[in-house]
Amino acid sequence: MDTYTYGHGARASTLWGKGPNGGSRDSTTWGRRGGSSVVAVIVTGLALLVPVSGAAAAGGAVYVAPGLLAKANKTPTKTLHVIVQSTGGEPVAETAVKGLGTLKKRLDLVGGVAVDLPAGQIKTLATMSGLTVTSDALVQVSGSTTYTSSQLWPYESGVASLWPSTVASATQGPAIAIVDSGVDTARTDFGTRVLTQVNLSSLTPTAKGDGRGHGTFVAGIAAGSAPGYAGAAPAAPIVSIRVMDNYGKALTSDVVNACQWILANKSKYNIRVANFSLHSATPGHFVNSPLDLAVEKLWFNGIFVVAAAGNFGVAGQPVHMGFAPGNDPFVMTVGAVDLGGTVGVGNDNAAPFSAYGYTYDGFLKPDLGAPGRYIVGPAPPTSTLVAEKPLNVTAPGYIQLSGTSFAAPVVAGAAQQILLRHPSWTPDQVKGALLSTAKKAPNATPSSLGAGELYAGKAASVTAPPNPNLALDKFLVADPNGGSTPVFGWATWEDAVKKSTVWDAATWTDATWTDATWTDATWTDATWTDATWTDATWTDGAIEDATWTDASEGDWSSTPAAYALDSSDEAAILADPYLTPPPGTLP
């Protein structure tokens, strides 16, 4: 079970999701009146008007959308487009906003006005009686012929720029294999694009669908297509391979078996991408791990493997990245980015739970960061995730979650979009395109997001990507067991590394990578010591033949609207050609 430490020092289980200081999480359905809590009965999509200040209580209720209050605290100078209504009608609403911003429209029909104002002024409006303050929100056309999302992450990551201009009538491009807890195929998020479902779980061998909800969520982020919830590759075919039980646990042998199944069926279903939002329970060296060996076999057979970095990060500090398959140097390991609620990398950071650091073999992980905090995606209403996290439900069938589990499928979907445009590319070339175009987050802790943040639109435009695995490829040898797929010659590699006086990228070859994205700091002899090879590295308590999902299920925001797409974000999105989506996809 993954855990992480909150800023206040309390350590909490990611399963139960205790908030800071060990207390229960606040619910958005609780207001404050005269210092005492009151329950606000809520139906999804509706919120009870509650006073937010003593002054307001005296003269009538005031309602301010939680997302606006969040932006007032987080970005007080940012211009917001809002609608202010008053119980006294339009003239009173107009008087209330006078001097606070720029009046845009008088809305006599609803007794209000549309106004542009700095986010910090929301707090001023929150003290005035009888007002209702909501976002002048983007409106989506019902039954739209384009893919849309109400969330920020598809646009800031650039995956939305790769969406088809109209909703596809058939699947497009290669399939993404989701190795997880299954997928709920009855949902409109996937239409008829789930090509097949296979249950390889020894723990729940007769189960159907997705009892956990994790796999459905992951599939939705990678390839969902429901209006307002489009994933990274909304026209991609999906192959669901269940290995998890209803509580997010699987035997490692089942995950290895899933890799075998993918290899045996990759041509039948045209599988070119495989997503593993999970990690082993036993740390170690990649050369000794059967799971690492299995995902390498996929990689060498032309399947781009995406692995979650893990949610065992502690207070933003580096940790040993010892868990397969995210510790494998060949595959793409993805950390979770906290987008900060706005377009632009200036306030982006690695999410506090997102693990980063060196593997026991001296490789820096993750390779790349992608949005992974406060993401809304599909989950079966009867799943255990929904039962355990009822406050995270944002609408019937949708839930807000955080974790490297959900950063990984953003990259899996981006890889599918790249392969759709460059079908002859190898996994190494896809990885090279993604890493060489990654955006730097200037305020993120160095190395916490690998090469940087996903910049999918630019990655897809690359014509001659570098090979970031070039230095390792020269150690590939024929399979000693007679298989047709090469294997990594770890004995030769280990001998070469131990003989190096300084083990870094320059030792291998200067042509491995460009100076702009791959520095000598990636591999250092400081991490290569005899201590990393001893049994003392691990404890008996960590040895378990199991894998776990990488959902940071204790990370929760009471204001999901703070990470929703806002009309004020439109200019920033349209100003960047690698972020600009097709017409109609940005409402």
Side-chain angles (χ1 to χ4, degrees):
M1 179 69 64
D2 291 335
T3 56
Y4 69 94
T5 302
Y6 293 88
H8 295 276
R11 192 166 177 83
S13 166
T14 60
L15 178 62
W16 300 111
K18 290 287 187 181
N21 299 321
S24 299
R25 298 171 305 174
D26 293 333
S27 168
T28 55
T29 61
W30 289 86
R32 303 290 295 177
R33 188 189 303 269
S36 61
S37 297
V38 292
V39 178
V41 179
I42 186 168
V43 177
T44 302
L46 303 177
L48 185 67
L49 303 186
V50 296
V52 294
S53 70
V62 58
Y63 173 79
V64 179
L68 295 179
L69 287 172
K71 288 184 181 292
N73 290 323
K74 195 168 280 190
T75 55
T77 62
K78 181 177 181 179
T79 299
L80 299 182
H81 312 301
V82 300
I83 295 174
V84 179
Q85 298 168 262
S86 172
T87 54
E90 184 276 326
V92 177
E94 186 173 345
T95 299
V97 302
K98 188 175 182 179
L100 301 182
T102 303
L103 181 69
K104 306 298 288 186
K105 300 182 186 72
R106 294 179 176 87
L107 306 171
D108 299 276
L109 185 65
V110 295
V113 294
V115 61
D116 290 354
L117 44 68
Q121 297 290 4
I122 296 296
K123 294 182 178 180
T124 302
L125 293 174
T127 66
M128 299 182 185
S129 304
L131 298 185
T132 296
V133 186
T134 56
S135 174
D136 190 358
L138 303 170
V139 176
Q140 297 171 353
V141 178
S142 179
S144 172
T145 58
T146 59
Y147 296 108
T148 59
S149 177
S150 61
Q151 299 181 75
L152 184 64
W153 70 263
Y155 301 98
E156 183 168 345
S157 65
V159 293
S161 71
L162 303 177
W163 287 344
S165 57
T166 58
V167 173
S169 59
T171 59
Q172 295 183 356
I176 304 173
I178 305 294
V179 182
D180 215 285
S181 61
V183 174
D184 181 1
T185 58
R187 304 187 59 90
T188 57
D189 300 80
F190 311 114
T192 59
R193 292 179 296 112
V194 180
L195 304 183
T196 188
Q197 291 197 89
V198 181
N199 183 0
L200 300 179
S201 171
S202 298
L203 302 177
T204 53
T206 61
K208 298 181 183 297
D210 180 13
R212 180 59 178 166
H214 188 271
T216 299
F217 195 103
V218 167
I221 301 306
S225 61
Y229 297 96
I238 302 165
V239 171
S240 172
I241 306 174
R242 177 170 178 155
V243 295
M244 295 284 172
D245 67 8
N246 290 348
Y247 298 94
K249 184 178 179 180
L251 294 180
T252 299
S253 58
D254 289 343
V255 184
V256 173
N257 194 25
C259 295
Q260 292 181 177
W261 189 96
I262 291 171
L263 276 182
N265 292 275
K266 74 182 186 75
S267 297
K268 180 178 181 180
Y269 298 108
N270 191 24
I271 302 171
R272 295 289 307 278
V273 181
N275 187 90
F276 295 82
S277 290
L278 48 81
H279 73 269
S280 66
T282 305
H285 301 285
F286 83 99
V287 295
N288 305 126
S289 167
L291 182 51
D292 281 321
L293 177 60
V295 295
E296 286 173 12
K297 287 290 185 81
L298 296 182
W299 190 272
F300 302 148
N301 276 278
I303 298 171
F304 185 79
V305 175
V306 185
N311 304 318
F312 48 93
V314 179
Q317 298 301 307
V319 296
H320 272 126
M321 300 292 288
F323 297 102
N327 67 338
D328 193 276
F330 286 96
V331 308
M332 176 67 87
T333 304
V334 182
V337 177
D338 182 344
L339 295 177
T342 62
V343 173
V345 297
N347 63 347
D348 293 0
N349 279 289
F353 52 79
S354 187
Y356 77 96
Y358 287 96
T359 71
Y360 291 116
D361 303 292
F363 297 96
L364 185 63
K365 290 286 184 171
D367 300 295
L368 189 69
R373 198 174 198 197
Y374 308 147
I375 305 295
V376 177
T382 57
S383 64
T384 57
L385 266 180
V386 171
E388 291 167 3
K389 319 299 290 183
L391 293 181
N392 292 48
V393 174
T394 60
Y398 292 91
I399 191 170
Q400 179 210 88
L401 295 171
S402 298
T404 58
S405 267
F406 315 125
V410 177
V411 176
Q416 194 273 352
Q417 295 272 30
I418 290 171
L419 287 167
L420 175 63
R421 291 159 174 80
H422 306 280
S424 65
W425 278 12
T426 66
D428 288 333
Q429 289 175 300
V430 176
K431 185 177 182 180
L434 290 167
L435 294 184
S436 64
T437 57
K439 297 182 289 186
K440 299 296 182 183
N443 295 315
T445 302
S447 303
S448 61
L449 297 175
E453 293 185 41
L454 173 66
Y455 201 9
K458 190 171 184 179
S461 72
V462 173
T463 56
N467 177 6
N469 292 333
L470 183 62
L472 291 173
D473 286 345
K474 65 182 180 181
F475 292 96
L476 298 181
V477 297
D479 188 346
N481 296 318
S484 58
T485 303
V487 297
F488 185 67
W490 64 268
T492 305
W493 169 79
E494 178 186 328
D495 185 60
V497 169
K498 287 184 175 181
K499 288 180 179 178
S500 298
T501 55
V502 178
W503 185 50
D504 59 22
T507 303
W508 298 77
T509 170
D510 290 337
T512 300
W513 202 238
T514 62
D515 292 338
T517 55
W518 192 275
T519 67
D520 290 348
T522 303
W523 293 335
T524 68
D525 57 353
T527 63
W528 190 268
T529 66
D530 291 340
T532 64
W533 289 93
T534 65
D535 292 339
T537 305
W538 313 290
T539 64
D540 289 341
I543 304 302
E544 184 180 1
D545 181 28
T547 58
W548 294 89
T549 59
D550 278 314
S552 186
E553 293 151 4
D555 191 51
W556 175 81
S557 169
S558 62
T559 56
Y563 281 67
L565 182 68
D566 189 274
S567 54
S568 60
D569 298 318
E570 181 176 7
I573 293 169
L574 296 179
D576 186 336
Y578 295 118
L579 298 185
T580 302
T585 59
L586 182 65

